[in-house]
Amino acid sequence: MIVRISNEGQYRLDDGLHARLNELDAAAVAAVEADDEDKFHEAFEELLQVVRSEGTALGDDELEASEVILPPADLSFVEAGEEFTGDGLIPEPA
Amino acid sequence: MPGMGGRMSTVIKAKISRLLDRAEDPGETLDYSYQKQLESLQNVKKGIADVVTAKKRLQMQSQKLEQSVVKLDTQARQALSSGNEDLARVALERKNVAQNELQSLDQQVTELEAQQEKLTDSEQKLRGKIEAFRTKKEVMKAQYSAAEAQVRISEAATGVGEEMADVGLAMQRAADKTEQMRARADAVAELEAAGTFDDLTTLGPGQDDIDRQLSELSSSSQVDDELSKMKAELGAGSGGGDSKQLEGGS
């Protein structure tokens, strides 16, 4: 599968990592819901780290769509709250 | 594949998809698609230029404030050595405010620098993708039947579209940051315009209001500390001091 980390790049990952990523994603979301900033950063950082270390970066000449798009690494806790509650990083078109 | 399940695919991808929806329809004619990509690259350049402009403004303000800090420190010393403790306190209060502003400006300049770097990277990546798209488009047109080429090129356009959406997101974030900093820079400019960091020797009557606001703004304990430190320094030195110029000020 192809995973994009926003504002960073795309990575090709083994499909077998699916469960691991989903677990970390769930942990990040749960931390946001529990208002636990440290735990959120921990889970989110690990999620990104798995993608970076297990994945192979796509070349600039590869034009592929991503199956998963993760928020940028500098996502703040506040933004994460908006992201996961549906207000979104990107404002709704007026 | 059967989706990531959970929120990762549903929430996050949905957000980007909205951007993609606005970006372009991959089914549009191929040359138009390429045209759109080039336009989007131009927009990124504009975005970078905006960040650079904001950064330069902050840097200029930061230089001015640095000068004010030095000047106010000197004036505080002069006032103190000529026995005018009240004036010294005013100067230190102003210096305190200027220093706090300076610190936050410097932080913001660093942050804008990071934004600029990120956008420049994004621009380069997008440029690479667009170039790849242009090449692929020509190859596919030559290799495949018109219908088949259309399908394959549309797929490639989707890949570029995602990259454009991603750059769009980077620009959005940079613009938000720049906007915040513009507000900050305006606030500092207002302080400057109000004469906050002016030469104290030109202080005339009617400055009471500014001074009252300033003593609220600056931490008084910090000012007290600095004042007593300065006193100690001056006491340990030659004493007396040679400057009387501040007393004759207003």
Side-chain angles (χ1 to χ4, degrees), chain A residues 10-83:
Chain A
Q10 288 172 293
Y11 296 85
R12 187 171 275 116
L13 266 79
D14 194 289
D15 283 354
L17 282 164
H18 180 282
R20 175 100 190 275
L21 293 184
N22 223 359
E23 207 174 283
L24 287 167
D25 173 52
V29 173
V32 169
E33 277 165 0
D35 207 22
D36 188 337
E37 184 164 358
D38 289 343
K39 208 167 230 164
F40 160 73
H41 283 299
E42 205 177 290
F44 185 53
E45 196 43 56
E46 195 181 342
L47 175 62
L48 299 181
Q49 211 40 54
V50 169
V51 174
R52 291 181 191 124
S53 59
E54 303 291 323
T56 318
L58 253 65
D60 278 357
D61 59 343
E62 293 185 75
L63 304 174
E64 305 270 357
S66 308
E67 274 123 293
V68 175
I69 299 177
L70 298 175
D74 62 355
L75 187 79
S76 70
F77 188 60
V78 174
E79 284 175 322
E82 289 164 359
E83 181 76 37

Side-chain angles (χ1 to χ4, degrees), chain A residues 1 4 6-10 18 21-22 25 29 33 59-72 74 79 83-84 86 88-92, chain B residues 1 3-8 11-13 15-16 18-19 22 115 118 124-125 128-129 132-133 136 155-156 158-160 162-163 166 169-170 172-173 177:
Chain A
M1 71 184 146
R4 173 185 291 274
S6 296
N7 302 172
E8 191 174 315
Q10 288 172 293
H18 180 282
L21 293 184
N22 223 359
D25 173 52
V29 173
E33 277 165 0
D60 278 357
D61 59 343
E62 293 185 75
L63 304 174
E64 305 270 357
S66 308
E67 274 123 293
V68 175
I69 299 177
L70 298 175
D74 62 355
E79 284 175 322
E83 181 76 37
F84 296 141
L89 269 179
I90 303 145
E92 298 281 347
Chain B
M1 61 174 284
M4 286 290 289
R7 289 165 194 255
M8 183 145 64
V11 175
I12 297 168
K13 188 149 186 178
K15 300 257 144 69
I16 298 274
R18 272 209 303 274
L19 264 189
R22 278 188 285 162
Q115 289 295 328
K118 209 173 277 176
Q124 239 160 31
K125 201 168 273 178
K129 298 264 182 200
F133 178 79
K136 277 210 170 99
E155 279 167 13
T158 307
V160 184
E162 189 184 302
E163 198 68 37
D166 191 53
L169 176 67
Q172 174 93 47
R173 286 167 74 77
K177 288 229 164 73

Side-chain angles (χ1 to χ4, degrees), chain B residues 52-191:
Chain B
V52 171
T53 308
K55 194 181 75 179
K56 278 195 183 140
R57 185 173 173 206
L58 290 180
Q59 279 170 332
M60 269 167 58
Q61 280 194 324
S62 163
Q63 278 169 6
K64 269 201 210 161
L65 278 176
E66 264 170 38
Q67 288 166 4
S68 298
V69 167
V70 172
K71 193 181 63 194
L72 290 166
D73 185 83
T74 309
Q75 296 194 329
R77 274 168 209 281
Q78 288 172 345
L80 201 56
S81 61
S82 51
N84 191 343
E85 189 171 329
D86 286 346
L87 190 55
R89 178 177 291 276
V90 171
L92 285 182
E93 272 166 5
R94 291 178 176 217
K95 182 187 154 194
N96 197 223
V97 172
Q99 258 171 338
N100 289 343
E101 292 298 335
L102 189 59
Q103 210 174 12
S104 94
L105 280 185
D106 285 348
Q107 261 172 23
Q108 286 167 349
V109 167
T110 311
E111 209 171 308
L112 280 187
E113 238 147 40
Q115 289 295 328
Q116 185 188 341
E117 211 169 293
K118 209 173 277 176
L119 276 186
T120 309
D121 280 355
S122 301
E123 195 226 338
Q124 239 160 31
K125 201 168 273 178
L126 181 59
R127 185 184 296 279
K129 298 264 182 200
I130 292 174
E131 185 50 34
F133 178 79
R134 194 184 62 82
T135 314
K136 277 210 170 99
K137 182 163 72 90
E138 295 314 314
V139 170
M140 284 164 181
K141 270 185 191 165
Q143 274 182 355
Y144 298 98
S145 71
E148 176 73 352
Q150 174 82 38
V151 170
R152 284 170 184 262
I153 296 169
S154 289
E155 279 167 13
T158 307
V160 184
E162 189 184 302
E163 198 68 37
M164 287 198 281
D166 191 53
V167 175
L169 176 67
M171 290 200 352
Q172 174 93 47
R173 286 167 74 77
D176 287 351
K177 288 229 164 73
T178 312
E179 195 45 54
Q180 285 164 15
M181 291 181 194
R182 196 168 288 145
R184 185 79 201 179
D186 285 347
V188 176
E190 255 172 54
L191 281 177

Side-chain angles (χ1 to χ4, degrees), chain B residues 209-222:
Chain B
D209 196 41
I210 296 179
D211 287 332
R212 189 180 43 73
Q213 288 175 29
L214 280 180
S215 44
E216 279 167 15
L217 267 176
S218 67
S219 130
S220 60
S221 65
Q222 202 174 326

